[in-house]
Amino acid sequence: MKVLIVHAHPEPKSFTAALRDQAVATLEAQGHEVQVSDLYKMNWNPVASDADFSNRENPEYLVYALEQRLGVKSQSLAADIQAELDKLLWADLLILNFPIFWFSAPAMLKGWIDRVLVSGICYGGKRFYDQGGLAGKKALVTVTLGGREHMFGEGAIHGPLEDMLRPILRGTLAYVGFDVLEPFVAWHVPYISEEARQQFLVDYSQRLQHLSDDQPLVFPKLAQFDDKLYPLTTNG
Amino acid sequence: MKVLIVHAHPEPKSFTAALRDQAVATLEAQGHEVQVSDLYKMNWNPVASDADFSNRENPEYLVYALEQRLGVKSQSLAADIQAELDKLLWADLLILNFPIFWFSAPAMLKGWIDRVLVSGICYGGKRFYDQGGLAGKKALVTVTLGGREHMFGEGAIHGPLEDMLRPILRGTLAYVGFDVLEPFVAWHVPYISEEARQQFLVDYSQRLQHLSDDQPLVFPKLAQFDDKLYPLTTNG
């Protein structure tokens, strides 16, 4: 398996980085090939802008997705985007590895999503969800957070973590066609003992060794909707 | 009323910018004071990093929220963060005005949230949700998107838009104490007629003129949970 880990944490010695390293070691020991995009280290530019296109469909008015499509066709995407896109297309498994900032990804990683998941390849027209451009690939979200596990779930103060992660799990990864696996979550990280951290690393390694047994989360399929994307059960 | 509009769109002539201008005109005509943070125009830096703190609690290991707290206490936050924080604290109403990118905010705006909503002022310890540091203020999310209205809602292909916006509405705005109003949504914007766009501007202006009648969305209150944040209904 070919694996791309996209890592975004402002502290190089963070526990999130230890999870990244654990993933590299575990996956390589199993014979998989691994590439890492360490966004802070790369000084990744997270800002989607007109500077991403040297060759504009419409130089007067920027519609970002439209310019992505032309950029793909004319092979004129910005070099940093193209390099990440190449890794993404190479990979069978994408791991997004990050600390939860405001119940979602740090801006650094959000900007990787905004710029790299280009229209014309990753999605476009009716190519989304199970018909998405990256169908056949798997994705795993690995996160660290400050909250305790009992603060998440039905009836808990923040509700289910998967609901907070919905724009990433469903709106991004499932949207472009990934089989999205259940997130791996390290809870309460800033406050736990070294032993508890080590246990998360062991659990993560175990999880990665048996990833092929995981059932992906369930999301909509285009066949459940009509041509105008109304649900077939009520309109078909 | 004092109003801060935080606007993030890579195209200065976008319809999202027209919504921003409509809000400024409508609110000023009503006698409100308005400030606008146009993040792309300001060349806002969306990346939370150690560069945000000139005076570190721990120079060896960055815990971003911890350094925010010291930065607040010692008045040593980065100047760009402090300037935005001052506007935020000045405002009675915050409007986040943006195009939906991947069912959430563009990285540019996410980085405003990551950096400006500092621990120690906006939240901290048990000061969140109705006890959040910005309690008493209102927030409105105004978005444009490519999808059609029937693609959102219960049973629709993408589910309710409010569910996709949960990390912003609940996990960010409600978390820091805002009364969060129902989002204003302009659907299918890249594909609609000039007349349809004008109608959205009229509808938005009407909405803004009667904002004080709006009932905020309902989110958890800390009194519903015990000291360890277990729900009182099942553990109390």
Side-chain angles (χ1 to χ4, degrees):
Chain A
M1 204 164 50
K2 292 169 186 144
V3 185
L4 172 61
I5 301 176
V6 180
H7 168 79
H9 196 296
E11 170 53 59
K13 301 184 293 293
S14 68
F15 182 67
T16 312
L19 286 167
R20 173 203 62 203
D21 295 342
Q22 183 70 62
V24 172
T26 300
L27 294 164
E28 287 186 346
Q30 288 191 291
H32 303 305
E33 282 180 78
V34 183
Q35 291 193 71
V36 175
S37 291
D38 184 335
L39 301 184
Y40 272 88
K41 194 171 165 192
M42 291 158 67
N43 199 22
W44 174 254
N45 165 25
V47 179
S49 80
D50 55 4
D52 293 343
F53 313 105
S54 53
N55 180 12
R56 292 271 293 273
E57 178 92 30
N58 183 350
E60 302 302 317
Y61 189 96
L62 178 70
V63 178
Y64 195 78
L66 206 81
E67 298 298 342
Q68 286 180 318
R69 272 173 265 173
L70 178 70
V72 165
K73 261 193 242 169
S74 63
Q75 300 192 298
S76 60
L77 290 172
D80 61 342
I81 295 174
Q82 188 65 53
E84 291 303 299
L85 185 58
D86 289 346
K87 292 184 211 169
L88 179 66
L89 297 175
W90 165 87
D92 305 305
L93 168 66
L94 171 69
I95 300 180
L96 299 181
N97 190 71
F98 61 97
I100 296 273
F101 282 11
W102 296 102
F103 297 96
S104 54
M108 186 60 117
L109 177 57
K110 180 54 168 53
W112 186 92
I113 290 168
D114 288 349
R115 297 179 69 225
V116 177
L117 298 183
V118 297
S119 182
I121 292 183
C122 300
Y123 72 100
K126 293 278 171 66
R127 293 192 306 126
F128 62 102
Y129 287 138
D130 59 314
Q131 304 298 313
L134 305 184
K137 299 177 187 288
K138 291 181 186 184
L140 174 66
V141 164
T142 297
V143 292
T144 56
L145 77 174
R148 291 174 186 270
E149 192 165 1
H150 75 263
M151 293 159 68
F152 292 86
E154 289 298 340
I157 193 159
H158 300 310
L161 181 60
E162 284 75 5
D163 286 359
M164 284 289 191
L165 295 177
R166 185 178 176 121
I168 298 175
L169 299 176
R170 175 169 171 170
T172 303
L173 296 170
Y175 187 92
V176 296
F178 281 108
D179 282 335
V180 183
L181 306 178
E182 197 185 315
F184 181 86
V185 183
W187 306 97
H188 209 45
V189 162
Y191 311 104
I192 60 176
S193 66
E194 186 54 33
E195 289 69 29
R197 288 184 172 203
Q198 289 302 320
Q199 189 59 51
F200 276 127
L201 293 175
V202 170
D203 293 348
Y204 189 40
S205 180
Q206 292 282 337
R207 172 84 192 276
L208 291 173
Q209 286 171 54
H210 301 96
L211 218 54
S212 55
D213 303 339
D214 276 24
Q215 289 301 311
L217 302 175
V218 175
F219 293 107
K221 295 188 194 312
L222 257 61
Q224 297 161 338
F225 297 83
D226 71 14
D227 270 6
K228 292 191 165 152
L229 300 171
Y230 283 96
L232 282 172
T233 44
T234 56
N235 290 270
Chain B
M1 203 165 51
K2 292 170 187 145
V3 185
L4 172 61
I5 302 176
V6 180
H7 168 78
H9 196 296
E11 170 53 58
K13 300 185 293 291
S14 68
F15 182 67
T16 311
L19 287 167
R20 174 201 62 201
D21 296 342
Q22 183 70 61
V24 172
T26 300
L27 293 164
E28 288 187 344
Q30 289 192 291
H32 303 308
E33 281 180 78
V34 184
Q35 291 194 72
V36 175
S37 291
D38 184 335
L39 301 183
Y40 272 88
K41 194 171 165 191
M42 292 157 67
N43 199 22
W44 173 255
N45 165 26
V47 179
S49 80
D50 56 4
D52 292 343
F53 313 105
S54 53
N55 180 11
R56 292 272 293 273
E57 178 93 32
N58 183 350
E60 301 302 317
Y61 189 96
L62 178 71
V63 178
Y64 196 78
L66 207 79
E67 299 298 343
Q68 286 180 318
R69 271 172 267 172
L70 178 71
V72 165
K73 261 193 242 169
S74 64
Q75 300 191 297
S76 60
L77 290 171
D80 60 343
I81 295 175
Q82 188 64 55
E84 291 304 298
L85 185 58
D86 290 345
K87 291 184 211 169
L88 179 65
L89 297 175
W90 165 86
D92 305 305
L93 168 66
L94 170 69
I95 300 179
L96 299 181
N97 191 69
F98 60 96
I100 296 274
F101 281 12
W102 297 101
F103 297 97
S104 55
M108 186 60 117
L109 177 56
K110 181 54 168 54
W112 186 91
I113 291 168
D114 289 348
R115 298 179 68 227
V116 177
L117 299 183
V118 296
S119 182
I121 291 183
C122 301
Y123 72 99
K126 292 280 171 65
R127 294 192 305 124
F128 62 102
Y129 287 139
D130 59 315
Q131 303 299 313
L134 305 184
K137 298 176 186 288
K138 292 182 183 183
L140 173 67
V141 164
T142 297
V143 292
T144 55
L145 77 174
R148 291 174 186 269
E149 191 164 2
H150 75 263
M151 292 159 69
F152 292 86
E154 289 299 340
I157 192 159
H158 300 311
L161 181 60
E162 285 75 6
D163 286 358
M164 283 289 191
L165 294 177
R166 185 177 176 120
I168 297 175
L169 299 177
R170 175 170 171 169
T172 304
L173 296 170
Y175 187 92
V176 295
F178 282 109
D179 282 336
V180 183
L181 307 178
E182 196 186 316
F184 181 86
V185 183
W187 306 97
H188 208 44
V189 163
Y191 312 104
I192 60 177
S193 66
E194 185 55 31
E195 289 70 29
R197 288 184 172 202
Q198 288 302 320
Q199 189 59 53
F200 276 127
L201 294 176
V202 170
D203 294 347
Y204 188 41
S205 180
Q206 292 282 338
R207 173 84 192 276
L208 291 173
Q209 287 172 53
H210 300 95
L211 217 53
S212 56
D213 303 339
D214 275 25
Q215 288 300 311
L217 302 176
V218 175
F219 294 107
K221 295 187 193 312
L222 256 62
Q224 297 161 338
F225 297 83
D226 71 13
D227 271 6
K228 293 191 164 152
L229 300 173
Y230 284 96
L232 281 172
T233 45
T234 58
N235 289 271

